[in-house]
Amino acid sequence: MNQSQREHIATVVASVSDNAQHRAVCQHDQAIRDSWQRCVERYGLDPSRMQAAHILPWHELREHREHLEEFRRIARHGLSALYQQIAPAGYVVLLTDAQGVTVDYLGDESAEISLRRAGLFLGAQWSEAWAGTCAVGTALATGKALTVHHNDHFDATHIALSCSAVPLFDPQGQLNAILDISALTSPQPKSGQQLALQLARLHAHQIENAWFEHRHRTDWVLKLSPASPFVEVSPDYLIAFDARGRLIGHNHRAQRMLEQELGIEAASPHGRSSLLGMPIEQLFNTSINSLPDWLASASGRQGTLERVNSGERLYVTAVQPARHPERPVINTSAQLLPAPLAALNGGDPLLQQQLQRAARLLNAPLHVVVQGETGSGKEYFARAFHQSGERSSQPFIALNCAAIPPTLIESVLFGHLPGSFSGAGNKARRGLIQEADGGTLFLDEIGDMPLEMQTRLLRVLAEQEVLPVGASRPVAVNIRVISASHHVLDQLVEQGRFRADLFYRLQGARITLPALRSRSDLDWLIDKMLAGKASLSQAARQCLHQHGWPGNLRELSNALDYAVAMFEGERIESADLPEGIGTTAPVTLAQEGALTEQALPEEAQRLMASLHAARWNHSAVARQMGISRMTLYRRMQRYGIQSPNTLPA
Ligand SMILES: Nc1ncnc2c1ncn2[C@@H]1O[C@H](COP(=O)(O)OP(=O)(O)OP(=O)(O)O)[C@@H](O)[C@H]1O
């Protein structure tokens, strides 16, 4: 303990004891002195017992994070924008939940050790009961934004820190989280932190509004401001109404404004707002039926409203409920997709672009390459593409080139005459190319096709005829080939493993399917796959959102089938999901940056992550990814990944 810590302890002891003389001269704000008092009287803390910052173990932190998962996702953009502004001045950003646990964090990785020791880190517990007076804890206890600077802290451990915290409220008025910015070192006068506090307030308001708009995207929302130019870009007040015109949500500023207007006592930060359920007519001189007049349209229509008691005028626009919340409208001007292609997408914009390109290619005389990670739905796409075009009444034939031995692939594809080779039997066999005549031949894993077969396939495509093994006369065929590979075919060409001339003929057009983890329509996919089979608890849904889905749609489909088989209650719960799903550590922003810098290919990184999460249980990982154990071993071998169990001691 150093000298300044000793002096600080003496000050706190004197202040909280019945020392009237000391209280008169104490320089600290009333909010700080009240908090010191709470620390002693309510939480039984002893100022002379310094305690190091408390960081929760990962499994406990995970539970806190899960509860706030959806909110964290929405808040992230705001956190990163704030961090970019304050990082150069040595601040970190913390987002805590309503228990004071840091569930998201952005800070300087190079200072990780000292930040962690000071508790400016993921998992740090900053409630008053644990840490004494501190910005997060005191903002939680009072529901008010404040700066806790140096000696304002109760525990002398923290007196080097300067922290500013702002409560974030949910649309029902309850304190949901705390946004905090903190610095390990800062100049002495507390007044220097005014700007930091204002910046945190500004970003907290933006995060709160983003959360509000997300939660109320299916309701009528009024955006209000005393100044006309700000209504659209940065409204002060947001209020949501149901179809009958009853208030069902507000941002914090709107809550305080309406409470004042109606002369209602400000609600406690941890209770629900007493404004909920009030009819719009009781608040403004309008009715729910007038809202369409203020629809924020291309012409930017705005109206004015008067508060019902004070008569004060506010500028207003109204946002009408989204029509299909579970299936976002993508681009109304976009070309309509044929039903089989449209059925592949629940609103992901990247996928939509690819599907629209595909729709234009439907009847073009081109072969198509589909690229995408394993299980991303390449065959599903190929079938939908076939069903959407003019060949739809003709056969769709699929062959996985990696699944049949190279010695058989020739006769399977090209067919053979009786006795044309040993093992050919005494019956002729039509090859798949002939089976697909008039329709589509889907060649999966074409990158694994042996070079000699590539030469023969090229001849079929060039001459539009096939010569079965042992035959002397070719048979005319008209096929469209859709090929798929999880290899990047261009690279195979460069390495001499794939014929360039075949590659260019096959790749008349290339469609790339996004990985599941980057798709924005996960909820839609889940609901589609579960339709009529089971419903899902919110916690289980969160687990699915947290998972990285290295096996993409196949892994998702397998996971849901597993959960449907396991669940016994009313809904699928997290415990019904397969091992490893939702238990993989969610990637933090800092980690995300680190991952992209690693040299390993993306697929290898995901494979490693899954193996780690499943503690190197190969069967579990293969099941999760929807592939066989042999395929898993092949992939591990390809990237030089060795299980720790097989490493030499
Ligand atoms: N659009 C979809 N809707 C529902 N389930 C789908 C969809 N696409 C794929 N799936 C699921 O994922 C599984 C794998 O799909 P598909 O075989 O099309 O993927 P792939 O990319 O061709 O896989 P691979 O790379 O292993 O060949 C399907 O069996 C199905 O369970």
Side-chain angles (χ1 to χ4, degrees):
M1 191 186 302
N2 60 33
Q3 181 59 23
S4 50
Q5 287 173 326
R6 261 192 291 277
E7 283 170 13
H8 177 66
I9 290 169
T11 308
V12 177
V13 170
S15 172
V16 295
S17 60
D18 212 10
N19 186 338
Q21 194 189 352
H22 181 273
R23 273 201 217 148
V25 296
C26 183
Q27 297 299 305
H28 296 276
D29 303 341
Q30 187 61 44
I32 300 296
R33 282 182 279 147
D34 288 348
S35 167
W36 286 0
Q37 211 71 39
R38 267 195 307 274
C39 290
V40 173
E41 289 169 8
R42 194 180 299 172
Y43 311 122
L45 299 179
D46 176 352
S48 61
R49 288 191 56 196
M50 292 169 58
Q51 291 195 62
H54 177 57
I55 310 268
L56 261 61
W58 177 248
H59 66 276
E60 281 181 38
L61 169 62
R62 199 175 59 220
E63 273 179 33
H64 286 264
R65 290 178 69 128
E66 275 172 11
H67 281 122
L68 224 54
E69 183 54 30
E70 202 180 349
F71 177 78
R72 269 197 319 121
R73 249 186 325 121
I74 303 286
R76 267 207 181 161
H77 178 73
L79 299 187
S80 341
L82 174 59
Y83 182 61
Q84 276 170 21
Q85 293 179 44
I86 60 174
Y91 284 87
V92 302
V93 177
L94 308 182
L95 181 77
T96 81
D97 64 7
Q99 284 79 49
V101 173
T102 309
V103 291
D104 220 334
Y105 156 84
L106 289 168
D108 179 2
E109 281 174 51
S110 65
E112 186 176 318
I113 294 175
S114 35
L115 287 171
R116 197 186 161 94
R117 194 177 306 130
L120 302 185
F121 208 71
L122 200 60
Q125 165 56 275
W126 280 111
S127 67
E128 276 189 345
W130 275 93
T133 306
C134 58
V136 169
T138 308
L140 271 175
T142 59
K144 297 206 170 92
L146 84 165
T147 297
V148 173
H149 187 66
H150 295 184
N151 289 342
D152 285 342
H153 287 93
F154 177 85
D155 191 319
T157 310
H158 306 308
I159 58 174
L161 305 180
S162 183
C163 313
S164 295
V166 185
L168 297 159
F169 292 87
D170 74 13
Q172 281 68 52
Q174 280 169 313
L175 199 158
N176 195 26
I178 299 281
L179 177 67
D180 171 281
I181 59 179
S182 292
L184 273 180
T185 55
S186 55
Q188 184 40 246
K190 184 174 178 176
S191 55
Q193 297 303 313
Q194 267 301 328
L195 210 55
L197 183 60
Q198 288 313 326
L199 207 55
R201 274 188 211 272
L202 182 71
H203 284 267
H205 179 59
Q206 286 172 354
I207 292 172
E208 209 178 87
N209 283 2
W211 178 234
F212 178 97
E213 294 204 20
H214 175 72
R215 287 288 296 274
H216 288 291
R217 59 197 183 281
T218 58
D219 305 310
W220 277 102
V221 170
L222 287 189
K223 298 181 171 185
L224 304 128
S225 179
S228 159
F230 286 87
V231 176
E232 289 291 345
V233 285
S234 178
D236 288 76
Y237 311 121
L238 293 175
I239 309 175
F241 294 95
D242 66 12
R244 292 182 306 149
R246 313 240 157 214
L247 189 151
I248 50 174
H250 45 51
N251 67 355
H252 191 59
R253 284 190 195 172
Q255 179 178 6
R256 290 292 175 251
M257 180 272 283
L258 291 174
E259 284 168 345
Q260 264 186 10
E261 177 72 14
L262 301 176
I264 300 175
E265 196 186 330
S268 134
H270 301 286
R272 273 166 68 83
S273 163
S274 49
L275 299 162
L276 296 173
M278 282 196 182
I280 191 167
E281 296 81 3
Q282 213 170 313
L283 309 168
F284 301 106
N285 62 337
T286 190
S287 70
I288 192 78
N289 298 330
S290 328
L291 297 191
D293 291 344
W294 296 313
L295 275 186
S297 64
S299 62
R301 254 183 97 165
Q302 276 183 16
T304 56
L305 273 183
E306 281 170 19
R307 300 199 212 163
V308 84
N309 287 343
S310 64
E312 198 178 317
R313 228 163 51 142
L314 292 170
Y315 291 89
V316 60
T317 65
V319 182
Q320 67 180 330
R323 260 177 307 154
H324 297 294
E326 66 289 353
R327 185 170 178 149
V329 178
I330 298 158
N331 178 359
T332 44
S333 65
Q335 152 204 4
L336 278 180
L337 291 176
L341 287 179
L344 299 178
N345 191 7
D348 180 71
L350 271 182
L351 179 57
Q352 185 71 5
Q353 269 177 16
Q354 295 293 315
L355 295 178
Q356 276 174 347
R357 224 156 51 77
R360 284 197 287 275
L361 295 165
L362 278 176
N363 301 317
L366 293 169
H367 302 294
V368 176
V369 168
V370 195
Q371 282 206 317
E373 291 178 9
T374 179
S376 56
K378 297 185 287 295
E379 183 168 344
Y380 253 63
F381 165 82
R383 281 183 193 277
F385 188 75
H386 169 80
Q387 284 159 8
S388 303
E390 57 195 17
R391 291 173 181 261
S392 60
S393 58
Q394 302 296 321
F396 175 90
I397 304 288
L399 172 71
N400 184 334
C401 303
I404 44 175
T407 46
L408 279 188
I409 202 166
E410 183 174 27
S411 81
V412 169
L413 257 186
F414 302 94
H416 61 258
L417 294 187
S420 50
F421 60 97
S422 60
N426 52 10
K427 274 199 186 143
R429 174 177 175 159
R430 262 159 70 92
L432 295 184
I433 291 176
Q434 261 180 285
E435 296 285 347
D437 188 23
T440 303
L441 178 66
F442 175 63
L443 294 177
D444 201 358
E445 302 300 1
I446 191 146
D448 291 352
M449 182 179 269
L451 273 169
E452 324 82 88
M453 286 313 108
Q454 293 177 22
T455 311
R456 291 202 58 184
L457 178 62
L458 178 65
R459 206 166 303 136
V460 172
L461 299 184
E463 291 159 19
Q464 299 198 8
E465 51 186 35
V466 60
L467 185 66
V469 181
S472 51
R473 276 208 282 165
V475 184
V477 284
N478 165 13
I479 52 168
R480 168 181 245 179
V481 177
I482 303 181
S483 33
S485 174
H486 71 269
H487 295 291
V488 180
L489 284 178
D490 320 41
Q491 282 174 9
L492 295 188
V493 172
E494 273 170 32
Q495 294 160 6
R497 289 163 59 196
F498 203 85
R499 285 185 67 126
D501 39 11
L502 178 61
F503 170 70
Y504 290 118
R505 198 169 278 273
L506 287 174
Q507 188 169 260
R510 172 149 61 176
I511 298 293
T512 305
L513 300 181
L516 179 54
R517 71 185 163 285
S518 65
R519 285 178 62 164
S520 58
D521 57 350
L522 177 62
D523 279 320
W524 176 81
L525 281 164
I526 294 170
D527 294 339
K528 188 173 97 148
M529 289 179 183
L530 281 180
K533 295 186 204 159
S535 62
L536 197 63
S537 74
Q538 200 51 31
R541 194 175 285 273
Q542 275 176 10
C543 284
L544 297 177
H545 271 277
Q546 274 181 298
H547 191 61
W549 301 114
N552 292 293
L553 291 163
R554 177 181 293 113
E555 187 190 1
L556 176 64
S557 168
N558 287 348
L560 294 177
D561 284 349
Y562 175 91
V564 168
M566 297 306 287
F567 90 108
E568 285 176 333
E570 283 178 15
R571 295 167 309 174
I572 293 174
E573 298 293 342
S574 322
D576 301 319
L577 296 172
E579 208 181 317
I581 293 207
T583 55
T584 335
V587 178
T588 66
L589 284 182
Q591 286 166 335
E592 262 165 15
L595 279 180
T596 52
E597 279 159 29
Q598 286 172 16
L600 276 176
E602 221 184 323
E603 190 188 25
Q605 287 176 28
R606 279 199 310 280
L607 198 54
M608 281 294 282
S610 303
L611 287 162
H612 272 300
R615 298 202 181 85
W616 297 90
N617 179 336
H618 297 150
S619 308
V621 173
R623 212 171 31 247
Q624 204 185 89
M625 294 177 70
I627 55 178
S628 70
R629 265 194 314 151
M630 282 318 291
T631 310
L632 176 70
Y633 289 139
R634 267 205 300 277
R635 288 191 192 163
M636 287 171 65
Q637 216 174 16
R638 183 188 308 151
Y639 297 118
I641 299 173
Q642 234 179 328
S643 162
N645 311 335
T646 61
L647 287 174

